[in-house]
Amino acid sequence: MTELRVRVTQDSASRWRRRGGEYATLREALEVAEPGDTLTVRPGTFREAVLVDKPVTLVAEQGPGSVRISAPESAVRGGTALTLTAGATVRGLTVEGSDRSAPAVLLAGADGAVLADCRVETASAVGVELVDGARAQLLNCTVENPAGLGVRLRGGSRAELLDCEVAAAGQSGVAVLGASELRAERLRVHGAGGAGVLLAEPGTVAELVGCEVYEVRGSGVQAEAQAVGRLSDCTVHRVSGNGLSLDGGAELELVSCRVHEVPENAADLRGGAKLTLRQVTVHGFGRGALSVWDGGTKVLAEGCRFHSAQGDYPALWVSDGAALELADCALDDLPDALFVLDQGSSATARDCSFSAIRSSAVSVSGGASATLSGCRVQGAGTGLWFRDHGSGGLLTDCEIAEVATGVIVTKGADPVLRGCTVRGASEAGVYVSAQGRGEFEDVRVSQGGGFGFHVIDGCRTRLVRCRAERNARAGFEFSEPGPVAEGCTSDDAAPLPAPAPAVPAAVPAPSAPPLAGLVAAVQTSSSAPTTAVIGPIPDCRPAEVALAELDALVGLATVKQEVRTLIDMISVGRARQRAGLKAPSPRRHLVFTGSPGTGKTTVARLYGEILASLGVLQRGHLVEVARLDLVGEHIGSTAIRTAAAFDRSRGGVLFIDEAYALAPEDGGRDFGREAIDTLVKLMEDHRDEVVVIVAGYTAEMERFLAANPGLSSRFSRTVTFPDYSADELLDIARAQAAEHEYRLDAATEDALRSHFTAIDRSAGFGNGRTARQVFETMIERHASRVAHLPSPTTEDLQLLVPADLP
C-alpha cells in the first residue's frame, strides 16, 4: 500500500467546500490543491521535480530539515528540483539538486513567492534563481551550492532576502543582473568562490542592510556596468581579493560600514565608477584603502577612518584623471596616506587628520592637484610633497606638526599655501628646490630642528607675511637669488635698518652688501634683482609698549608682577633655547579671580599682545566668550559651539568670563560639562596655538577647576585681582576726566574720595566699572547745571564740582 505523505487542507473561503485529502506525492497533492490551500508534508525525501503554479502553502509538518525535495536526473525541467511560478509559500523544506546546467530552485512568478526557513543544498548551476520579472521573499533561508552561484536575479526580477545565509558557493554568492532589484537585511555571504555580492548591468539596484560578506575567494562586493548599490551597517572582511571592486560606471554608497582584513585594496575603482562612503571604517588592507583610477571615476568619503595598513602602499591612490573628495576623515598608522598622480587627477580634503604616517602624508605628482582646507598632519616623514611640473594645489588653514619636513616643493611644482602652520619639523619646515615654485601666504613655521623656510637653487618662490620662530638653524635661508619675500618676519632677524637717504641720479648707488640667511637677494616678477628683507618678530606693537600700558593701569600691583614674571620666564627660555640649553615650559593658561570691574579683560588683551610680540602667539588677539557662547541647547551642539570659539581664538587668547557658570553646583547633566571636556581636549591638541584665560569669583572658580581632572593641570597659575581702594577709584575717575577733557578741583576730589569710601561694596559693586559710572553721572549732572548758565565760560564747561556727584 502506498504511503500517504502529503495532506491537503482547504484553507480558502470557497463557497463550495470539499473534503481534504492525503497523497503519496507532492505532484498529486498539487494537482488537486486549489489557491489558498495548505499542503502539510510529512518527514521524508521526495524524489521528484516539483512545480508550484498555484498560490498555495507548502509546509514541513515537523519543521525545517524534516522534508527534502530532490529532483531525479531524468526530470523534465532540466533537473530543477523546485519551481514556483505563482505567489506560493514554501516553509521549512530542504531542496537538493545536481544539474550543473539548471538552478535547484527557480522562481518565475510575478505574484510574490515566499521561501521561509528553507535550505538549498545542491550542486547545481544556481542555488536559487529569479527570472523574467519574478517577485519573491527569502526569509531565514540557507543556500549552499559549491558547484555554482548561490542566488541569482536576472530579467528584471525583484527579491527580498531577510536573515538569510549563502555559504559554500562555487562562484559568486549573490548575483544581481539584468535590471533586477535586491533588498537584503542581515544577509551573510561566505565561502564563495567568486565575488560575495555581484551587481552588473544597467538598471540593476541592490540595497544591503546589516549584512556581512567574508571568507570569499574574490572581491567582497563587485559592481560593474552601471549597476547601483547601497550598503548600510555592513561588514566586508577576510576576502582574498578587493573588499569592493567597481568598474564600468557602477555606483556604490556605503553608510556606517566596515571593510577590513583585505589582502588587496579595500576599494578599487575604475572606468568612471562612483563610490560614496559615510562613517565607514577601513583597516587591515594589504595594498590600499582606496585605489581610484581613470577619468570620471570619483570617490566621496565623509566622516571615515582609514588606518592600520598591512602593506607598504599608499592608503589612498588617485591616478589617471580620477577624483577623490574627503571630509572630516581620519587617516592614521599608514606607510603613505594620500598619493595623487597624473594630469587631471585631483584630491580634495576638508577638516581631515593625518597621523602616524611613516613616509608622506600627501604626495602630488605628474601634474595632479590637491586642495586641502582645515586639515591636520601630526607625525609623518613628510607633511606634503609636491613633486614635479604642473603639480600643485591650494592649502588653507592647515596644520603640520612633528614631521621630518613640513612641505617639499620640487621640479617645477607650484602649490599655494595660505594661513598654514608648520610646527616641530625635525628638518626644514618648508623646503623648495630644483625649480620648484610655490606661493606661501601667512604661513608660520616654528620650533623646527632646521631652517624654517629653506629655498635653494634660485627657486622663484613667493613668500608673503610668513613668520618663522624658534627654528634651530634660522628662520629663512635663501642660498641664491630667486625667492620673493614680502612682509615676512623671523625671531632671529636683526632690527630693520632705517631707510637710506635718496641717492642723486648722477651718483651711482653703492652695491648692496652680501646678505646671508635672513636678508637675501631675490628676483622680482620683472626679473630685476631686489633685496628681500626679513623683518624681526613682532609684527605688532613691541612688548615694551604693551608692558608700559599695563604699568599705566591703576593699581593691580600684584597682577603686574605676576604678568612680568611670566614674560621674564618666556624671554629667558627663548634665550636659553638659542644657546642650546633646555628651556622651561611655563604654563601660559591662566585663571583670573576677583570681583567684576577689576581689569581682567584689559589685562588679558595686553597679555595676548605681549605674547604675540615675543613670538609665542601668532596674532595675540582676544576672543571674549561666556557660557551663552559655548553651551548649546541640544546634545552635540555644545561641542560645536566650543570648537568654533576656540577656532576663532587660534593664534591669540580665548577669554572665558564667569567660567564657573559652565560647572553649576546642581549641574547634573548640564551641557556646561560638555563644554569643559571639549575645551580640555582642544587645549591639549593645540597647546601651542591658543592661550586660555578663565575668569570669575575666587570661590566659584575653585569649583570650576574641580569639574574636570584635566583643568587643574592646565591652569596651574592663578592671578588674583583685588578690589580697588577709594584712592584707586579716584585715580580712575581722574583718568576718565582727563580723557574726556574735564577737570576736577581739590574739593571735588575730596568729595569723590569720600563717596568711594562710603560706597556699598556688596555683590553689586563694580570696581572700575563703578568709578566710570560715577563719572558718567557727574558729566550728566554737570550738563544739566551748565545748560542753565547764561554765558558759560570754558572753565564752566570743563570743571566738575562736588554738586555734580550723584
Side-chain angles (χ1 to χ4, degrees), residues 157-180:
S157 57
R158 296 181 184 179
E160 184 175 27
L161 276 61
L162 304 179
D163 299 298
C164 293
E165 179 179 13
V166 178
Q171 301 175 32
S172 295
V174 176
V176 188
L177 315 171
S180 297

Side-chain angles (χ1 to χ4, degrees), residues 45-70:
T45 299
F46 291 79
R47 299 192 179 281
E48 54 183 303
V50 178
L51 169 63
V52 183
D53 56 0
K54 304 171 185 177
V56 297
T57 299
L58 274 71
V59 59
E61 183 180 54
Q62 295 186 14
S66 61
V67 176
R68 289 179 175 266
I69 298 175
S70 179

Side-chain angles (χ1 to χ4, degrees), residues 225-252:
Q226 302 179 45
V228 176
R230 176 184 170 88
L231 286 69
S232 301
D233 190 28
C234 294
T235 302
V236 177
H237 63 118
R238 303 203 315 268
V239 301
S240 66
N242 299 314
L244 312 170
S245 292
L246 288 78
D247 202 348
E251 298 184 18
L252 279 185

